[in-house]
Amino acid sequence: MKSYDYRSDTITKPTDKMRKAMYEAQVGDDVYGEDPTVKELEELSCKISGKEAAMFVPSGTMGNQIAVKVHTSPADEILLEENCHIHWYEGGGIGAISGVVSKLIKSKNGLMDIDQIERSIRADDIHFPHTSLICMENTNNKCGGTVIDLNSMKEIYSLAKKNGIKVHLDGARIFNAAAYLGVSPKMLMMESDSVMFCLSKGLCAPVGSILAGDEDFIKRARKTRKMLGGGMRQAGILAAAGIIALEEMTDRLAEDHENARMLAQGLDRINGLKVEMDTVQTNIVMCDVTRDDLDSYRLREELGKSGVYSTVITDKRLRFVLHYHISKSDVTETIDIVKKATFNL
Ligand SMILES: *Cc1c(COP(=O)(O)O)cnc(C)c1O
């Protein structure tokens, strides 16, 4: 049976070109700084991000955790968008690894309320923790791949700078944000002190993310990566695929966005389902089950029987993520399958 796997863009497999590059990659011990392919990926990442230095990390989670650790001291307070990955999906790591407390900031589609950020910055008072970091997420995963525009990023970054606070950008899907806004990824990444972006999601590399920032930040980040067990040896095998991800896989993301809109419109027309169309900006579709006698677990199970795989977000919400292995005609077929499944339930 044919399958349509919308669970995440992380399920994408390396392209043939990536596999060939991996096979042929020049490698060395990267903990000794001797892997030429990792170096090439890190130099390319500097160019793309406009940052002084960059470091290859095994996962986006590790990149974020290292950033929080390097930017803060134990008992600091950091400001996080209320739906962000660092808070929801990283195992509470910032508590264990960095020993910081967090304050969640309300947002609309991932864009934090700037007044609340301003009010949340702690005064210099003996009772208070020190506010040292603000984290932004663009695109915002839990909000459905929604985008923060360049001006809003600028506003937050300048407020932070004015108060001597660092900004980390969780840019797991920053290339999707750039494609949506029609700006260069660099313009978005310049509005932060550090940025993490994923190679292993929509860009199809098998493993890895990049953490970028200034020279001093990355120097300290390398030590923290080693401490966490993220120093990898002949990592050029993986970096080779990452280079192709950055050079050849970013331009096609707009296709995923088109397919997402098409899927969203199709799902929204089905009785008992609803999609907030204004949140469908990039490659993620959040689909709400509005029928009283149906929940998302049951719908997911029924769709699974026909080879359509999705993720439960709440008991009334399913998530569909578009990516390289889902074509326009797959989307048409999917809409038909969902129609039939909901009719039969
Ligand atoms: C996927 C993701 C991460 C973490 O990446 P992993 O490589 O899965 O650890 C971080 N932030 C956001 C917004 C993500 O979507």
Side-chain angles (χ1 to χ4, degrees), residues 26-38:
Q26 300 290 314
V27 296
D29 190 324
D30 185 51
V31 175
Y32 295 166
E34 290 174 4
D35 190 300
T37 310
V38 171

Side-chain angles (χ1 to χ4, degrees), residues 5-75:
D5 197 343
Y6 293 94
R7 287 172 302 161
S8 177
D9 45 9
T10 56
I11 64 112
T12 49
K13 293 176 181 166
T15 62
D16 289 343
K17 195 158 176 190
M18 285 178 183
R19 290 175 191 266
K20 185 157 183 291
M22 292 170 80
Y23 180 77
E24 290 169 353
Q26 300 290 314
V27 296
D29 190 324
D30 185 51
V31 175
Y32 295 166
E34 290 174 4
D35 190 300
T37 310
V38 171
K39 281 190 179 154
E40 190 187 333
L41 171 64
E42 292 176 345
E43 277 161 26
L44 176 61
S45 299
C46 287
K47 260 192 228 132
I48 289 172
S49 63
K51 301 285 185 215
E52 280 174 16
M55 174 178 77
F56 186 46
V57 284
S59 68
T61 299
M62 191 185 284
N64 282 339
Q65 291 297 323
I66 291 171
V68 173
K69 174 99 180 141
V70 173
H71 283 310
T72 63
S73 301

Side-chain angles (χ1 to χ4, degrees), residues 59-61 64 85 90 137 141 170 172-173 196 198 201 209:
S59 68
T61 299
N64 282 339
H85 195 280
E90 301 191 4
E137 185 174 312
N141 183 342
D170 178 345
R173 297 187 180 82
M196 182 283 290
C198 290
K201 291 189 170 161
S209 294

